[in-house]
Amino acid sequence: MVLFVLRKMLANKWMVASLLIGVILAVAMVTTIPIYSHGILTRMLLRDLQIYQENSRVYPGSLSVSGYITLNEFGPERLDWVDDLSALVRDEVPRGLPVPTLTESEHLQQNFLRAERVGTEAASVAVSVGAMTGLMERVVPVAGRVPVPSDPADASPVIEAAIISRTAAEGRVVFGETYRLLAPRTEEPFGYPIRIVGVIEMEDPTDLFWSYSLHRHSGVLLVHPADLRRVIVHENPGRNLEASWNYTFDYQQLSSEQIAPFVRFIQQYVVAARSLGLTIRLPALRIMEQYLERERQLVMTLWVLQAPLLLMLTFYLFMVSQVLIDHERNEIALMKSRGANIGQVFQTYVILGSFLSAVGFIVGPLLGLAICRVLGASSGFLEFVQRRALRVVLTPRATLYAFVASIVSLVTILIPALGASRITIVEHKQTRARARKRPLWKVLFLDVVLIAIAGYGLYQFSVRSEILQLSGLEATDLALDPILLVMSTIFVVGVGLLFLRVYPVIVRALYRLGARSWSPAFFASLIQVGRGGGKDQFLMLFIILSIAIGVYNADAARTLNQNVEEQLRYGIGADIVLQEQWQQVDQTGAIVIPDGMGVGMGGPPEPGSSAGSTRYLEPPFRRFQELPGVAHVTPVFRATNAAGRSFAGSSFGRVALYGIVPHEFGRVAWFRD
């Protein structure tokens, strides 16, 4: 059977090649959706995280679990509880992280202690005693040395501690001195004294271990973790122990498909940790949640743009497959007359379609990767830019899309074969001798039905747009009607079928108009088209669909790009926006400049930022008007946190209030034409 199919393929090599090209293109276009969305969304995510790190000085790839552990029991049971909780966190957190951890540390700290200097009558001072795994290996002494753990066999050891430079500068505790610790509230002394043997600083500030500031340990006596567990946790009545477990991971290795399960893990873990009195802190969580929303918007946009093209490719496969089947109807009828049953005839086309689909499944994703690389290096149609290449990979989702597309291609190819395999040689001869019937779509008025469906889609789009304008919701907040994805294609097919219904009449009218003057070639063409019975309708409809979808996609892409550019221009407002510093004037006329006071150019600080009759001195504005190269400039008062009361008496807040000079603002601010 396979050898027979190979002979059929060689006998119809051009049609088979056309089918193969269609299958490969269909699979490639489907796989570009997950591949391109993965690449562009990963780039967007990493860029957002980098901007967050630059603005906040906080490493986005850090995660911490922290809380206060109430130790009501003294002795070994207390240490066992801390160890069990620590083991639980160390097991659960790395398992939920999307990428391997780079650094891990455990921080234990006893707060609300008092320290008395040994040998003096000075009053005690408030201190904390803490320890962090891995810290002593990443610091260098500014004075003295790094603490070492005490000998557990020593009956009366002195615990060594270090302090940071800020603690030393405060002078509450002094380097080189020995202190006696007192428990909170009870003032009961701890069993061992503690000596400050060093002042430390970070050895390498760029080490990812320092995802937090060293100033976190201000006022803390830093001891070795073994001493903290033995002295504070095990042998002394310390309560409300502060604990945290810190992790860092390389956020540059994150990919788009990892974000959704990671966010779900964090959200579930937050609930579970709350029952243990712990809190989770992931600085990048808000960015990742916003990213998921942007992912839905991008995927929906890609489907809107790709759906017409995918339908066109499906139509192409069906058309070529039908042409191939029509070409082989005599052979099919001959096989049926020699004893072949329906299953055997249909099996030959199953093998043919399976071979084409398998090749498409292998080659299509590779072509999709190449297309996405080209898209990543362009800013528009045939407009290539110098920027870092888009990181595109063949994801499991893309492989799944390719498999589904190859199966759909196989089914599309087999639909014409299923009907042809049922026809006997007698039925085939009768069909050829019988006058051609009107196509089914003409009988059912499918063109009118499709145009009506497209009209319904347009109505739904108008209603959806009005709802979004009135409610202020995002497009993804409303359920998407599937008709909107294929509305343009349905309209094109409907209008195309309507034209196919009337074009024979147009051709016959054209024939009669110049029957005595047409050339023989043109005359014969008109006769063939007018009497052809529509056997070229599939080809004509495919050409109509191809040209219309090409125009639609180009116009849609241009519209999307223009809207994004105009939103940026409108949001920024002008080519350059300056923010001026206003000066506060008190009752005596003296100028007071509050710390961090900064407002929009042309307006005083936000309402509510000062009370009473405080006034503000407006900076000179003329200097901006006289800047070289400036065509137009205008001041703008902006208060984004205003509040007020309506005439009906109800109060309102969080209102944006703008004050403008209308004729100047109209010349400077950007508006759509």
Side-chain angles (χ1 to χ4, degrees):
M1 183 67 73
V2 175
L3 183 61
F4 176 73
V5 172
L6 291 176
R7 289 174 179 171
K8 286 170 61 70
M9 293 172 62
L10 292 176
N12 301 280
K13 52 182 177 295
W14 293 114
M15 291 187 183
V16 173
S18 300
L19 272 178
L20 180 59
I21 293 174
V23 173
I24 292 175
L25 287 176
V27 176
M29 296 310 299
V30 170
T31 54
T32 55
I33 295 176
I35 292 175
Y36 183 75
S37 61
H38 170 272
I40 196 66
L41 286 169
T42 300
R43 172 181 286 181
M44 289 164 47
L45 173 66
L46 297 182
R47 182 56 184 160
D48 288 346
L49 294 177
Q50 290 170 358
I51 293 175
Y52 172 82
Q53 183 175 1
E54 294 170 0
N55 295 337
S56 65
R57 303 297 180 183
V58 176
Y59 183 69
S62 61
L63 183 148
S64 64
V65 183
S66 60
Y68 282 91
I69 304 174
T70 301
L71 304 174
N72 294 321
E73 297 294 335
F74 304 154
E77 297 82 3
R78 203 166 37 168
L79 186 57
D80 292 341
W81 166 242
V82 174
D83 290 338
D84 291 343
L85 186 59
S86 179
L88 177 64
V89 173
R90 289 198 305 268
D91 289 342
E92 291 294 329
V93 172
R95 188 179 63 181
L97 291 176
V99 293
T101 58
L102 299 177
T103 65
E104 300 180 12
S105 64
E106 178 189 69
H107 176 224
L108 298 177
Q109 180 171 306
Q110 175 61 59
N111 299 321
F112 313 117
L113 299 177
R114 307 290 299 181
E116 289 181 345
R117 189 187 303 184
V118 175
T120 67
E121 303 243 351
S124 62
V125 295
V127 296
S128 298
V129 179
M132 177 177 285
T133 58
L135 183 140
M136 295 302 177
E137 292 79 16
R138 292 176 171 86
V139 297
V140 292
V142 177
R145 58 182 175 82
V146 176
V148 295
S150 61
D151 186 1
D154 191 349
S156 58
V158 176
I159 306 301
E160 295 184 353
I163 57 176
I164 65 173
S165 298
R166 172 179 286 190
T167 305
E170 291 173 352
R172 287 188 294 171
V173 291
V174 181
F175 162 63
E177 296 293 335
T178 302
Y179 292 85
R180 182 176 56 182
L181 295 179
L182 304 177
R185 292 189 303 273
T186 64
E187 298 292 328
E188 180 182 349
F190 279 34
Y192 308 125
I194 187 166
R195 179 184 299 156
I196 302 175
V197 298
V199 180
I200 58 175
E201 286 291 347
M202 292 182 289
E203 180 179 17
D204 180 12
T206 63
D207 191 341
L208 288 181
F209 181 85
W210 305 110
S211 58
Y212 65 95
S213 173
L214 190 61
H215 294 160
R216 166 184 178 179
H217 300 295
S218 179
V220 180
L221 308 183
L222 297 169
V223 301
H224 196 276
D227 287 334
L228 181 75
R229 286 173 172 270
R230 182 164 59 90
V231 177
I232 303 297
V233 178
H234 184 267
E235 298 184 10
N236 289 280
R239 299 170 184 261
N240 294 327
L241 183 69
E242 181 183 356
S244 66
W245 294 265
N246 309 284
Y247 299 87
T248 60
F249 55 91
D250 187 3
Y251 71 88
Q252 297 283 352
Q253 300 302 319
L254 289 174
S255 59
S256 60
E257 70 271 5
Q258 295 173 325
I259 302 304
F262 183 41
V263 170
R264 286 196 300 270
F265 166 78
I266 294 297
Q267 293 171 343
Q268 295 170 359
Y269 198 71
V270 165
V271 177
R274 190 179 296 121
S275 63
L276 298 174
L278 303 176
T279 58
I280 311 296
R281 183 176 181 270
L282 178 65
L285 180 60
R286 182 184 178 93
I287 296 176
M288 292 181 181
E289 291 174 341
Q290 293 174 346
Y291 159 83
L292 293 177
E293 180 63 28
R294 297 169 70 182
E295 179 184 26
R296 287 190 288 269
Q297 294 176 356
L298 178 62
V299 171
M300 185 182 71
T301 301
L302 291 176
W303 274 114
V304 169
L305 292 176
Q306 293 279 52
L309 184 59
L310 296 177
L311 289 176
M312 185 189 70
L313 289 172
T314 303
F315 187 82
Y316 168 82
L317 292 175
F318 181 82
M319 180 188 69
V320 177
S321 178
Q322 189 173 52
V323 172
L324 176 63
I325 297 301
D326 289 342
H327 183 71
E328 294 184 344
R329 284 185 181 273
N330 283 330
E331 184 177 347
I332 294 173
L334 185 61
M335 291 174 60
K336 295 290 293 293
S337 67
R338 294 181 177 180
N341 56 36
I342 296 175
Q344 290 174 327
V345 175
F346 186 68
Q347 185 180 3
T348 61
Y349 292 98
V350 171
I351 296 174
L352 172 62
S354 300
F355 172 77
L356 298 178
S357 299
V359 174
F361 177 72
I362 297 173
V363 180
L366 302 178
L367 179 59
L369 278 173
I371 293 173
C372 290
R373 288 194 177 97
V374 174
L375 292 175
S378 63
S379 61
F381 181 68
L382 295 180
E383 296 179 6
F384 298 95
V385 293
Q386 293 292 333
R387 66 183 175 204
R388 188 176 61 180
L390 193 66
R391 190 175 74 180
V392 292
V393 294
L394 189 60
T395 62
R397 181 182 296 181
T399 305
L400 177 62
Y401 276 44
F403 177 76
V404 173
S406 60
I407 296 300
V408 173
S409 300
L410 173 61
V411 173
T412 305
I413 293 173
L414 294 180
I415 289 176
L418 183 61
S421 61
R422 300 175 180 272
I423 299 177
T424 64
I425 189 169
V426 176
E427 293 171 338
H428 174 61
K429 296 299 183 181
Q430 290 176 346
T431 302
R432 296 191 60 182
R434 196 181 298 125
R436 185 180 294 271
K437 296 181 180 180
R438 294 182 64 194
L440 183 62
W441 66 266
K442 286 187 177 181
V443 176
L444 298 178
F445 289 92
L446 185 60
D447 48 349
V448 178
V449 173
L450 292 178
I451 293 176
I453 295 175
Y456 166 78
L458 181 61
Y459 169 75
Q460 285 290 94
F461 176 77
S462 302
V463 172
R464 182 185 180 90
S465 300
E466 187 174 353
I467 292 175
L468 293 176
Q469 291 177 359
L470 295 176
S471 63
L473 298 174
E474 297 291 337
T476 53
D477 294 334
L478 298 179
L480 180 64
D481 191 337
I483 292 180
L484 296 179
L485 294 175
V486 294
M487 181 178 65
S488 60
T489 306
I490 292 176
F491 176 75
V492 170
V493 174
V495 174
L497 291 176
L498 181 62
F499 174 77
L500 294 181
R501 181 186 294 273
V502 301
Y503 96 95
V505 178
I506 298 175
V507 170
R508 285 193 289 269
L510 185 62
Y511 161 74
R512 292 191 180 94
L513 184 63
R516 299 181 180 275
S517 58
W518 300 129
S519 64
F522 194 64
F523 185 86
S525 299
L526 293 176
I527 292 294
Q528 182 178 0
V529 172
R531 299 177 181 176
K535 59 183 179 182
D536 297 326
Q537 288 180 355
F538 263 104
L539 181 60
M540 294 174 63
L541 185 59
F542 177 74
I543 294 175
I544 293 172
L545 191 62
S546 301
I547 296 176
I549 289 178
V551 174
Y552 165 77
N553 277 350
D555 186 68
R558 182 172 61 251
T559 301
L560 290 173
N561 188 66
Q562 181 179 350
N563 285 341
V564 172
E565 291 183 358
E566 291 181 349
Q567 286 176 3
L568 291 174
R569 289 178 179 272
Y570 184 81
I572 296 173
D575 294 338
I576 299 177
V577 179
L578 301 178
Q579 192 175 33
E580 186 53 283
Q581 181 82 25
W582 282 57
Q583 293 178 329
Q584 182 179 340
V585 182
D586 61 14
Q587 298 288 347
T588 63
I591 296 177
V592 180
I593 303 180
D595 294 336
M597 185 69 72
V599 297
M601 182 178 126
E606 298 265 335
S609 60
S610 62
S613 59
T614 304
R615 297 171 299 167
Y616 294 92
L617 183 63
E618 181 177 1
F621 183 70
R622 185 177 182 132
R623 53 180 174 158
F624 300 114
Q625 296 173 317
E626 297 175 350
L627 286 175
V630 174
H632 301 286
V633 63
T634 184
V636 175
F637 168 84
R638 180 179 61 189
T640 57
N641 193 20
R645 186 176 299 276
S646 67
F647 287 107
S650 59
S651 60
F652 57 89
R654 304 290 297 177
V655 180
L657 178 64
Y658 281 76
I660 64 172
V661 182
H663 67 283
E664 293 181 0
F665 188 81
R667 288 198 302 262
V668 177
W670 186 91
F671 288 96
R672 177 181 287 178
D673 291 339

